Amino acid sequence: MTANLLDFDLEGLIAFCERLGEKRFRATQLFRWIHQKGASDFGQMTDLAKPLREKLVSSAHVAPLQMVSRHESADGTVKWLFDVGGGDVIETVFIPETDRGTLCISSQAGCAVGCRFCSTGHQGFSRNLTTGEIIAQLWYAEHFLRQYLGRQERVISNVVMMGMGEPLQNYSQLVPALKVMLDDHGYGLSRRRVTVSTSGVVPMIDRLAADCPVALAVSLHAPTDDLRDNLVPLNKKYPIAELLQACTRYQASAPRDFITFEYCMLDGVNDQPQHARELVALVNAQRAGGLSCKFNLIPFNPFPASGLKRSAMPQVMAFAKILMDAGIVTTVRKTRGDDIDAACGQLAGDVQDRTDVDKRMAAQRQGMLGGIKVVVTKGIEV
Ligand code: SAH
Ligand code: SF4
């Protein structure tokens, strides 16, 4: 079997090219062809010497994902489903906004963490994606969108690892993919614009800080261990105090000066004023130790097997107010895409933007993709 070049970060590709007897700068050229130009056909790579192109044809390939479907919403959001074999399907979502384009990427087929409110968690774990499968989502989306929108320049400015799966439980495949995203010869994204979202794999938060610090979002969802044990089973292994300490440590290397806490609002479960007050106490205790954070409240996207309900908006706003009154920056994601059953967090936008959401959507309708149907977005606020 030949090597899938999407599996390599630049260092990996350099090592691969060296094994073929080629110099480092050839690897850089090849890397740019693949990631910056979206090329997969070595014959196209005209500034590579013919003998190298021939060696590549016999030893390497660029493996795209098999697209199952693409849905576009009226507001320009695009969702792709990709078949990754063995009956597994993953999703990737593009969310255009006036000042950025965010891609939400999956890291695993299914997820082993098994959060109660998450449809991916209910599916169970199937397998880790390879680096090539993680980066292929960006490779495909970026080059598809450039062509589709007739743009020469970059379309995707932000990436969030908020699709299916727990990225920090697929660490060894994740990190090279992050490096490709950040590499100036790759996608050249700033560390601040690449976000890893985690349910709290504490040792891997520390490793990420050392290996590839990017923006961090932590799915908190509860102010106490009793409640979080129930919602996010990983909490039994890495309880809240340990998690928050890891967040504080992470800040020393983080590209942003705050950690985002995601909090899925579940009716009658974790959305009471008492929970908000407990969160304030929790954050205040950590602030003294140097933690700086903001909260992103996510109205729950219901699915039948969960047995859970979305908190009513007044409840969410009352909750947000308690946090904000305590000086904690808090945003509320606007829900979209209730009309189809997708994986986690089908949400986007934040409440502070509401005033001109209609204007933005109209502009996007004109400038972006023609509206078919189906609205699915991932909740990103980066
Ligand atoms: N596994 C990682 C990243 C993927 S989930 C994590 O848990 O952080 C991305 C976000 O979607 C998480 O904050 C998750 O809690 C949230 N989410 C999952 N299911 C959801 C649902 N049904 N409604 C709203 N948000 C959900
Ligand atoms: Fe996995 Fe994240 Fe879903 Fe929890 S919320 S089951 S960690 S994907």
Side-chain angles (χ1 to χ4, degrees):
M1 227 198 19
T2 65
N4 175 11
L5 300 186
L6 294 181
D7 277 330
F8 297 132
D9 58 14
L10 184 53
E11 283 308 309
L13 194 62
I14 288 170
F16 177 79
C17 285
E18 280 173 351
R19 287 197 293 277
L20 295 180
E22 296 289 339
K23 301 231 162 57
R24 296 173 71 92
F25 82 96
R26 291 291 177 205
T28 307
Q29 278 179 309
L30 180 55
F31 196 75
R32 293 170 67 102
W33 269 109
I34 296 169
H35 295 291
Q36 297 192 340
K37 301 203 177 113
S40 57
D41 173 1
F42 302 124
Q44 252 183 293
M45 305 180 182
T46 42
D47 58 354
L48 299 184
K50 203 149 176 258
L52 169 56
R53 281 190 265 153
E54 281 162 7
K55 275 190 250 178
L56 288 172
V57 169
S58 60
S59 62
H61 65 288
V62 175
L65 294 174
Q66 203 190 319
M67 208 242 294
V68 180
S69 66
R70 184 183 83 229
H71 297 294
E72 303 166 10
S73 77
D75 65 7
T77 298
V78 186
K79 177 194 172 191
W80 293 271
L81 292 183
F82 294 107
D83 183 345
V84 292
D88 289 320
V89 171
I90 57 157
E91 66 165 26
T92 307
V93 181
F94 173 67
I95 304 114
E97 288 176 88
T98 40
D99 57 342
R100 64 190 168 207
T102 302
L103 193 70
C104 177
I105 290 183
S106 295
S107 56
Q108 298 179 314
C111 182
V113 177
C115 299
R116 263 184 65 196
F117 50 83
C118 172
S119 59
T120 306
H122 277 244
Q123 264 174 48
F125 177 66
S126 188
R127 70 170 176 88
N128 280 328
L129 298 184
T130 61
T131 296
E133 289 168 330
I134 296 171
I135 208 67
Q137 298 169 64
L138 176 57
W139 182 76
Y140 183 92
E142 173 66 34
H143 297 292
F144 168 83
L145 290 165
R146 273 192 214 175
Q147 213 173 29
Y148 198 71
L149 303 172
R151 280 174 46 181
Q152 302 295 318
E153 74 281 15
R154 183 166 73 187
V155 178
I156 294 163
S157 60
N158 296 54
V159 166
V160 292
M161 298 302 306
M162 291 187 185
M164 297 170 85
E166 169 48 59
L168 295 187
Q169 286 189 339
N170 186 15
Y171 189 79
S172 64
Q173 299 298 310
L174 172 74
V175 168
L178 295 176
K179 289 187 173 164
V180 177
M181 295 172 197
L182 301 175
D183 202 307
D184 283 341
H185 299 295
Y187 298 87
L189 300 180
S190 112
R191 288 182 188 279
R192 300 159 52 83
R193 290 171 173 266
V194 174
T195 301
V196 167
S197 175
T198 180
S199 55
V201 191
V202 165
M204 295 301 158
I205 293 177
D206 289 321
R207 282 190 59 186
L208 190 67
D211 296 338
C212 192
V214 292
L216 186 68
V218 170
S219 296
L220 193 59
H221 307 310
T224 61
D225 283 324
D226 271 357
L227 185 54
R228 196 166 188 270
D229 282 352
N230 185 269
L231 296 175
V232 184
L234 191 66
N235 194 68
K236 292 183 196 129
K237 196 159 179 198
Y238 305 115
I240 292 175
E242 279 183 38
L243 178 56
L244 296 188
Q245 280 157 19
C247 292
T248 308
R249 288 193 297 275
Y250 191 84
Q251 271 183 257
S253 343
R256 284 180 174 265
D257 51 12
F258 58 86
I259 306 285
T260 302
F261 289 124
E262 293 160 279
Y263 197 98
C264 183
M265 298 293 286
L266 303 164
D267 184 40
V269 175
N270 66 354
D271 66 345
Q272 301 299 301
Q274 177 60 22
H275 297 124
R277 288 191 287 271
E278 286 168 347
L279 280 180
V280 169
L282 197 63
V283 167
N284 280 341
Q286 289 293 323
R287 270 175 169 169
L291 180 71
S292 162
C293 64
K294 58 185 245 183
F295 271 78
N296 199 356
L297 305 182
I298 316 173
F300 171 56
N301 179 64
F303 59 101
S306 71
L308 297 162
K309 283 193 296 205
R310 174 184 296 169
S311 307
M313 214 16 117
Q315 188 74 23
V316 177
M317 299 316 288
F319 197 94
K321 186 168 186 308
I322 295 172
L323 298 182
M324 288 191 286
D325 286 349
I328 302 172
V329 176
T330 305
T331 54
V332 180
R333 283 186 200 158
K334 181 178 169 294
T335 62
R336 306 199 295 208
D338 292 349
D339 51 341
I340 69 161
D341 220 14
C344 328
Q346 313 163 329
L347 321 148
D350 74 57
V351 85
Q352 292 161 348
D353 281 338
R354 275 265 177 89
T355 41
D356 43 57
V357 81
D358 286 344
K359 242 190 291 167
R360 281 189 295 141
M361 281 171 66
Q364 281 163 359
R365 262 196 296 276
Q366 280 179 0
M368 300 291 294
L369 309 161
I372 300 181
K373 239 198 115 342
V374 186
V375 184
V376 184
T377 67
K378 285 281 181 178
I380 309 349
E381 209 274 315
V382 277

